[in-house]
Amino acid sequence: MPRFKFLSYLLMLLSLLLLDYGSSLLYVEGLGVNWGTMATHELPPKSVVKLLQDNGISKVKLFDADESTMTALAGTDIEVMVAIPNDLLLPINDFDRAKEWVRNNVTRYSFNGGVNIKYVAVGNEPFLESYNGTFIGLTFPALRNIQNALNDAGVGSSIKATVPLNADVYFSPPENSVPSAGQFRGDILDHMTQIVQFLHQNSAPFTVNIYPFLSLYADEHFPVDFAFFDGVPQPIMDGNTPYTNVFDANFDTLVSALKTLGFGDMPILVGEVGWPTDGDRNANIGYAHRFYNGLLPRLAQNKGTPLRPGYIEVYLFGLIDEDAKSVDPGNFERHWGIFRYDGKPKFPMDISGRNQPNKFLVAAKNVQYLPKTWCALRSDADLSDPQKLADNIDYACSYADCTALGYGASCSGLDTAGNASYAFNAYFQAQNQDPRSCNFQGLAGITNQNISRGSCDFIIQMGTSSSWRLLPFSLAFLMSTMVLLL
Ligand SMILES: *[C@@H]1O[C@H](CO)[C@@H](O)[C@H](O)[C@H]1NC(C)=O
Ligand SMILES: *[C@@H]1O[C@H](CO)[C@@H](O)[C@H](O)[C@H]1NC(C)=O
Ligand SMILES: *[C@@H]1O[C@H](CO)[C@@H](O)[C@H](O)[C@H]1NC(C)=O
Ligand SMILES: *[C@@H]1O[C@H](CO)[C@@H](O)[C@H](O)[C@H]1NC(C)=O
């Protein structure tokens, strides 16, 4: 029955095609963002979710699975990556604890009107060299336990565990420094092999964070234009393939490293990419704007990279500035947001990559600010003891964010008095304008004059109570019901 045979052959071909099509549909197109919460004052989670929706952001990557965040996301169709912080990797090496984590932080939200969880990030850049190997042996067992727990709970086909890794897990050797020579770091090769094989078995993606800014920050001879996407006079040639930006070169180094393990087709998700706007001479709005203006249209056009043309799933880092992040990596660390601390866009940008002015980012709504009062160095302050002034500035800056004062940053042009006022005000705002926090041994006083100078913004902090947010959901609910009853 040749005709029948031909038909079944055709059907088989068709289903293969459909399968292929289906797998590309696994990933909903659209840009994601990272929502970090290490701030002295946070926008209420509900306002952040509204901000995401108002700006057409359909995917979000978290650094935990905080109850108030998850509650705010419930009932939306925003795709969510929840995360297990590095310090939980050790307990999660125990399978029972992994099952408990999945129960408490994942399946608990799997109901109609719950949270649309797509991924669980196991650890955050656990192989960073600065961790001195603390998490190296803990990561693969934690990944395995979490995916197995997801599979056991019956959600493993739609929720995938992955490990967001820093791009320092792979490299190309100095003698052949091209993307096609990419390989994984020798000290973690066995671990990477286990991880990659396991991700493949579970159809989970590899997650990598790529930071062209850090290439520039780490090496003052780095060719600046190569960090952006506008082209360079002399591309780096890899055989016949020209590379004109470090993002493509970095991504393809990973593709090649995966190929050395036999998984050259593994899906790759970019867990973090972005540009900071303050705290370093290369961290400014001009460069950030230039970076996103290059990146976003390329993503919209599904340009991909030379080794991986097509759609790439990407999460920008980050959504909102976080003034309580550690500055160990550098002062820029608190300034990665595409929005300021209060949910105002830092610059006009259409994140769909189509550059339509009517689609530029919009600010968070109904933001509550503290009153318009600032803390400043008194004009009659006794400055005869410079050590006293320096000590008070140091004190303020050890509790508040003074990263805008550093070399090359937005407030680096201030004189000593300006520096002092900036520090005093930052502390005063961080302390919710408590009058006792604007004294500094008699050096400071409260003013209702805006003491901002030029591009250096002396901020007014938001008035949202962060203690309310820390209440467990049920307790907050109970209290609000009681208020209603009274
Ligand atoms: C997740 O679940 C654990 C208990 O297994 C709980 O201690 C933790 O607070 C939850 N949230 C996060 C973000 O891990
Ligand atoms: C790693 O080692 C360095 C040098 O020994 C030390 O300064 C640093 O605190 C260590 N970091 C961690 C996370 O243990
Ligand atoms: C202001 O503060 C910054 C950061 O602490 C410091 O580098 C700078 O030298 C100070 N400038 C003056 C004029 O005191
Ligand atoms: C203070 O003035 C600056 C301009 O120097 C402005 O950008 C900022 O919005 C003002 N702050 C407030 C709270 O009005």
Side-chain angles (χ1 to χ4, degrees), residues 35-42 63 321-326 334:
W35 175 2
T37 54
M38 296 173 93
T40 60
H41 292 63
E42 289 175 44
F63 292 91
D321 278 353
E322 298 172 81
D323 67 347
K325 273 196 101 178
S326 157
R334 293 175 176 166

Side-chain angles (χ1 to χ4, degrees), residues 372 374 450 452 454 457 460:
K372 288 199 179 194
W374 288 259
N450 185 346
S452 300
D457 192 10
I460 296 293

Side-chain angles (χ1 to χ4, degrees), residues 361-434:
L361 294 176
V362 295
K365 308 228 158 56
N366 305 319
V367 177
Q368 304 292 316
Y369 292 92
L370 295 168
K372 288 199 179 194
T373 56
W374 288 259
C375 178
L377 180 73
R378 296 172 68 100
S379 52
D380 60 355
D382 173 10
L383 299 179
S384 56
D385 179 0
Q387 194 55 45
K388 178 176 160 190
L389 184 65
D391 289 347
N392 278 286
I393 294 178
D394 277 355
Y395 178 83
C397 292
S398 59
Y399 291 98
D401 177 29
C402 297
T403 51
L405 291 178
Y407 168 69
S410 63
C411 300
S412 60
L414 298 180
D415 56 12
T416 309
N419 261 4
S421 290
Y422 187 92
F424 295 166
N425 183 60
Y427 182 79
F428 177 61
Q429 303 296 333
Q431 300 293 321
N432 297 314
Q433 300 187 353
D434 182 335

